[in-house]
């Protein structure tokens, strides 16, 4: 029987490339981080990202995040592939992780502010002495291409409490973009409020995410108000499903909370993975998100 031809070194090289990565998590929203600053093109394709994010057959994660070469005088650029291979504009928990990863030392302290180019615009994370990261997330977008036309604001403000029928119920929605789309609900049209423990995320999340009213799909946040400065939130993420935390979602939640009159501009958002502090600063209209970002392990993987 003829033996199979031995693949040449070039053929083997084309078959698999070893990619160094670091696994980080921000309140349990976990990512595979890759230092890709040597070239513009991500070294992992969206299809490969899906495999790497698989929690049984891969490393496991909610997405793959790349530090890319700087653009327009920034320190670096960021891109992210969700675990379904789609590419969102921004990731709040992810940029906190990337800021510490790029700082070079998972125990990096107080390394000052970085300026990051993202599809959502310029974002400024700053490492704090206590190991947390405070991120200037820029301004919320209250009307934009990813805010549903039927839910577009009427008087220049965010659409507040528009009704949306999903799963036989009429939900009161406010849509806010952080560069990526978010649909936030505090309750139903019948006046009943949300109890996050009663939300069946796998059952209802996809019915919002893939609802035709959302031109770019959507992340959906279900919010329970504990006080004007404290809410609980669970999230069904676009392209990732139920995650333990969503940074952009927490920012959008506070904007919606202020616009609907539920919360103050400085608010703690409790997620299943832990709390984030969010401030929608009146002086500059920017949103500031503060929370942790931790290294889990580093490694190398063939893609
Ligand atoms: N799934 C999101 C991207 C990740 C956002 C989230 N993990 C965060 O921390 O902001 C989207 O498709 O818009």
């Amino acid at each position: 029987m003829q033996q199979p031809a031995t693949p040449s070194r070039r053929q083997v090289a084309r078959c698999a490339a070893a990619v160094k990565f670091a696994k980080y998590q921000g309140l349990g929203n976990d990512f595979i981080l890759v230092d890709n600053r040597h070239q513009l093109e991500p070294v992992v394709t969206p299809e490969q990202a899906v495999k790497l994010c698989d929690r049984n057959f891969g490393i496991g994660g909610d997405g793959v995040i790349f530090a890319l070469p700087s653009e327009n005088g920034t320190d670096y650029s960021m891109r992210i592939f969700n675990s379904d291979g789609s590419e969102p504009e921004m990731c709040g928990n992810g940029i906190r992780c990337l800021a510490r990863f790029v700082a070079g030392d998972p125990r990096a302290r107080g390394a000052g502010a970085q300026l990051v180019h993202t599809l959502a615009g310029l974002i400024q994370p700053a490492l704090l002495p206590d190991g947390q990261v405070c991120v200037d997330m820029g301004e919320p977008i209250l009307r934009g291409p990813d805010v549903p036309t039927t839910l577009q604001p009427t008087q220049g403000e965010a659409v507040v409490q528009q009704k949306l029928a999903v799963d036989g119920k009429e939900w009161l929605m406010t849509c806010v973009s952080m560069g990526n789309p978010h649909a936030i609900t505090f309750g139903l049209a019948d006046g009943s409020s949300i109890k996050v423990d009663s939300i069946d995320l796998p059952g209802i999340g996809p019915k919002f995410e893939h609802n035709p009213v959302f031109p770019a799909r959507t992340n959906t946040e279900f919010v329970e108000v504990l006080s004007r400065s404290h809410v609980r939130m669970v999230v069904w993420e676009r392209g990732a499903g139920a995650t333990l935390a969503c940074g952009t979602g927490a920012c959008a939640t506070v904007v919606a909370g202020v616009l609907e009159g539920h919360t103050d501009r400085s608010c703690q958002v409790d997620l299943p993975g832990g709390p984030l502090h969010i401030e929608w600063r009146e002086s500059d209209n920017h949103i500031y998100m503060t929370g942790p970002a931790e290294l889990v392990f580093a490694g190398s993987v063939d893609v």
Side-chain angles (χ1 to χ4, degrees):
M1 181 176 78
Q2 188 176 357
Q3 292 302 320
T6 307
S8 70
R9 288 172 61 85
R10 180 188 294 271
Q11 283 169 322
V12 171
R14 239 196 338 262
C15 293
V19 172
K20 290 173 72 176
F21 70 87
K23 180 78 190 290
Y24 270 76
Q25 58 83 13
L27 299 180
N29 192 201
D30 59 341
F31 304 97
I32 299 158
L33 271 55
V34 176
D35 190 342
N36 206 112
R37 289 177 288 181
H38 60 288
Q39 66 177 52
L40 279 175
E41 194 56 36
V43 294
V44 171
T45 65
E47 296 73 23
Q48 291 167 340
V50 173
K51 292 177 183 166
L52 293 181
C53 289
D54 187 294
R55 296 189 184 281
N56 297 102
F57 297 100
I59 300 164
D62 292 326
V64 181
I65 297 181
F66 305 90
L68 292 160
S70 69
E71 285 193 39
N72 310 327
T74 59
D75 293 297
Y76 55 93
S77 300
M78 174 179 108
R79 285 178 66 182
I80 168 175
F81 296 149
N82 280 318
S83 56
D84 75 345
S86 61
E87 180 169 5
E89 302 78 358
M90 183 53 204
C91 179
N93 290 318
I95 197 154
R96 295 201 316 274
C97 293
L98 196 63
R100 292 197 69 180
F101 173 60
V102 168
D105 176 346
R107 295 170 303 282
R109 293 281 188 272
Q114 301 164 8
L115 185 58
V116 187
H117 174 272
T118 75
L119 293 179
L122 294 182
I123 305 291
Q124 297 189 70
L127 276 64
L128 302 180
D130 66 359
Q132 295 205 101
V133 186
C134 177
V135 186
D136 174 353
M137 297 285 283
E139 299 184 65
I141 301 162
L142 305 184
R143 59 187 308 155
D146 59 356
V147 178
T149 46
T150 53
L151 301 179
Q152 284 279 1
T154 47
Q155 298 85 17
E157 283 305 314
V159 178
V160 180
Q161 297 193 344
Q162 286 288 333
K163 292 176 185 173
L164 184 64
V166 173
D167 209 35
K169 294 178 181 173
E170 224 172 19
W171 302 80
L172 295 177
M173 309 303 300
T174 293
C175 294
V176 177
S177 173
M178 291 300 297
N180 60 342
H182 295 273
I184 302 102
T185 181
F186 291 82
L188 301 177
D190 66 7
S192 56
S193 57
I194 297 280
K195 294 293 178 201
V196 295
D197 294 337
S198 68
I199 299 293
D200 169 21
L201 281 176
I204 196 160
K207 294 176 182 171
F208 280 92
E209 176 185 3
H210 300 283
N211 193 300
V213 78
F214 299 110
R217 296 191 286 165
T218 190
N219 301 284
T220 307
E221 288 79 16
F222 302 87
V223 190
E224 180 176 343
V225 179
L226 304 178
S227 76
R228 293 192 59 83
S229 60
H230 193 187
V231 299
R232 289 180 71 197
M233 184 262 272
V234 292
V235 57
W236 180 266
E237 283 198 38
R238 176 182 65 168
T243 60
L244 292 181
C246 180
T248 51
C251 296
T253 291
V254 173
V255 172
V258 171
L259 291 174
E260 291 196 23
H262 298 298
T263 67
D264 297 330
R265 284 175 168 269
S266 179
C267 191
Q268 177 175 312
V269 180
D270 287 357
L271 294 131
L276 281 174
H277 183 266
I278 308 295
E279 179 192 2
W280 182 17
R281 198 167 292 175
E282 197 150 18
S283 57
D284 60 5
N285 194 41
H286 283 214
I287 300 177
Y288 295 84
M289 166 191 64
T290 303
E294 301 295 337
L295 172 68
V296 184
F297 62 89
S300 172
V301 63
D302 284 343
V303 293

